[in-house]
Amino acid sequence: MARRCELTGKGVMTGNNVSHALNRTRRRFLPNLCDVTLISEALDRQVKLRISAAALRTVEHRGGLDAFLLKAKDEELSPRALGIKKEVRQAVVAAAAS
């Protein structure tokens, strides 16, 4: 399982631990990933995703999963999230047509 956010693409970064004596040793900065279940209003079902805490706040700020996905760039989304985005877009178009 990759340590990467499915919505924002945020992943592992590397850097240094720096001691008081300025000794440097390599370390990894891991993203704060959470397994969450979000509700898609357009699809009328729940979607399980592994996203960062920052992405969860952004989803809430933008007004839900559907609004976030429709505004997000395709390069940042995982293949699963791209599939959900495609389904949401089709459901929105179908709802607008009827």
Side-chain angles (χ1 to χ4, degrees), residues 74-91:
D74 289 350
E75 300 86 46
E76 294 177 348
L77 298 175
S78 70
R80 268 186 68 215
L82 277 173
I84 296 167
K85 179 178 179 175
K86 184 177 177 182
E87 290 179 40
V88 167
R89 190 180 294 131
Q90 290 173 349

Side-chain angles (χ1 to χ4, degrees), residues 25-93:
T25 56
R26 298 302 286 176
R27 63 161 291 181
R28 293 169 30 139
F29 294 95
L30 301 178
N32 185 10
L33 296 179
C34 311
D35 293 318
V36 296
T37 303
L38 300 171
I39 298 172
S40 170
E41 295 171 359
L43 301 177
D44 196 31
R45 67 179 171 96
Q46 297 177 345
V47 179
K48 281 187 165 187
L49 293 170
R50 187 161 193 217
I51 64 174
S52 65
L56 183 57
R57 286 197 310 270
T58 306
V59 167
E60 293 297 323
H61 178 76
R62 288 194 185 165
L65 179 64
D66 300 339
F68 179 90
L69 287 174
L70 292 176
K71 194 171 181 181
K73 296 177 183 172
D74 289 350
E75 300 86 46
E76 294 177 348
L77 298 175
S78 70
R80 268 186 68 215
L82 277 173
I84 296 167
K85 179 178 179 175
K86 184 177 177 182
E87 290 179 40
V88 167
R89 190 180 294 131
Q90 290 173 349
V92 168
V93 169

Side-chain angles (χ1 to χ4, degrees), residues 4-23:
R4 185 164 297 276
C5 175
E6 292 190 85
L7 295 182
T8 61
K10 185 179 289 193
V12 177
M13 296 181 71
T14 59
N16 291 309
N17 277 328
V18 182
S19 71
H20 186 68
L22 299 183
N23 297 327

